[in-house]
Amino acid sequence: MLKQRVSVRTPATAANLGPGFDCLGLALDIFNDVVVESALALSIEVSGEGVGAIPTGRDNLVYRGLEAVFSRVGQKPPGLQVTCHNGIPLARGLGSSGAAVAGGMVSANLLLGGPFSTDELLSMGAAIEGHPDNLAPALFGGCQVVVAEGESYLHATVPLSPALKVVLFIPDAHLSTAQARGVLPKRVPLKDAVYNVGRAAMLVASLANGELSLLKAATRDRLHQPYREMLFPALGPVISAALGAGALGSFLSGAGPTVLALCTENEAVIGGAMKRAADGQGVVGVSRVAHPALDGVVAGEVA
Ligand code: HSE
């Protein structure tokens, strides 16, 4: 029998982490909450981030996640009231779409009594959302490496130093992932591929070993940021300002335009420097301190 009410909390995510294009992601302690209750018909209510922009019909991404899980057990979702309270800013490179799909899938899985493992949900969700580097950290938390293997996805957790903190500069302007992928080349020089492979490997090793002084070099990228800078020219100055103020490494969060800086101290100084650099480029936005979220989607009250 279906459960009557489930509630889940899903973290924001920063994909890529510089060189790990499409294969690395980090969950952050900024959250979307979803409550799903049985009802006579479908109704979707949104509050917080994205009100007015997020669809409230069957094309809603939380609902699409729910529907995919029901469909995998050969069912259509029953009448449901879906209430979304969103803390994750939309279209800023913070994984709001992945969080919505993950929240919907985990809710459906709980309503159905848990027929699927979280690994199965990752592969199911990637087919809807297309960005496993957001979905894996949203589902499993922490820092995740994710790769496609045939039809499914494999992921591995990267241990993180408890001292690691995050400073975000979140521009007010939105940037769609489709637009940010549209500027990427179809082919890249071998030397740029080698540059990134080495840095992605060094990034994982330095995070895992706590060799944080390597992060400055290990978070540099040549596969996507130089191209995306055409859409967001403030990227270079904001990264330089973060590093100049003492950040350990800094890069575009996902497809952007949010810029993320890693640090263990001086968060306020780094955030202030990032904001001033953005102001200097005519970019309006806010800086915000966050932390890695070590849990992925968490179920709240379940009745
Ligand atoms: N890896 C993806 C990209 C993340 O950078 O386009 C999209 O959220």
Side-chain angles (χ1 to χ4, degrees):
M1 209 185 77
L2 279 186
K3 289 200 187 324
Q4 298 298 300
R5 181 181 198 276
V6 300
S7 141
V8 302
R9 163 163 274 211
T10 315
T13 53
N16 304 326
L17 308 184
F21 181 66
D22 281 357
C23 65
L24 282 179
L26 175 67
L28 301 173
D29 63 347
I30 301 171
F31 299 101
N32 281 0
D33 289 302
V34 179
V35 178
V36 182
E37 294 164 279
S38 33
L40 291 176
L42 175 66
S43 74
I44 300 177
E45 204 179 294
V46 177
S47 64
E49 298 285 343
V51 174
I54 293 178
T56 52
R58 288 174 197 276
D59 51 347
N60 176 283
L61 282 173
V62 174
Y63 187 75
R64 288 185 58 200
L66 272 156
E67 198 175 35
V69 171
F70 273 90
S71 128
R72 197 57 75 94
V73 294
Q75 294 183 28
K76 278 193 167 27
L80 294 171
Q81 183 179 325
V82 180
T83 310
C84 307
H85 182 72
N86 295 339
I88 307 174
L90 233 60
R92 304 310 216 297
L94 290 168
S96 61
S97 306
V101 171
M105 287 191 309
V106 172
S107 300
N109 201 39
L110 287 167
L111 286 169
L112 288 163
F116 299 109
S117 68
T118 312
D119 283 272
E120 287 171 315
L121 296 181
L122 171 62
S123 300
M124 245 184 260
I128 303 172
E129 208 267 334
H131 300 296
D133 49 340
N134 288 116
L135 269 176
L139 287 167
F140 297 99
C143 183
Q144 297 289 328
V145 186
V146 61
V147 297
E149 180 73 3
E151 296 296 298
S152 53
Y153 288 85
L154 301 177
H155 73 98
T157 302
V158 182
L160 293 176
S161 157
L164 202 64
K165 293 177 190 148
V166 165
V167 183
L168 301 168
F169 175 73
I170 309 175
D172 286 357
H174 295 197
L175 177 60
S176 82
T177 302
Q179 197 187 353
R181 292 185 85 84
V183 297
L184 302 182
K186 296 274 176 287
R187 291 168 183 275
V188 294
L190 182 62
K191 65 178 174 23
D192 289 353
V194 171
Y195 183 97
N196 269 56
V197 170
R199 278 165 177 74
M202 182 170 280
L203 173 55
V204 169
S206 53
L207 288 171
N209 297 336
E211 290 179 278
L212 302 182
S213 62
L214 291 173
L215 289 177
K216 186 170 174 188
T219 49
R220 294 192 203 280
D221 159 76
R222 282 192 187 161
L223 290 189
H224 67 108
Q225 291 183 179
Y227 307 100
R228 288 173 164 172
E229 209 161 355
M230 290 187 266
L231 296 174
F232 182 50
L235 176 62
V238 176
I239 289 178
S240 299
L243 295 174
L248 297 164
S250 181
F251 43 81
L252 195 63
S253 177
T258 293
V259 182
L260 189 155
L262 296 172
C263 64
T264 53
E265 56 186 6
N266 297 330
E267 306 89 278
V269 175
I270 294 166
M274 293 169 87
K275 182 160 165 44
R276 274 194 304 283
D279 283 347
Q281 299 291 313
V283 174
V284 179
V286 292
S287 54
R288 174 171 179 171
V289 177
H291 303 86
L294 298 184
D295 293 319
V297 183
V298 171
E301 351 132 43
V302 181

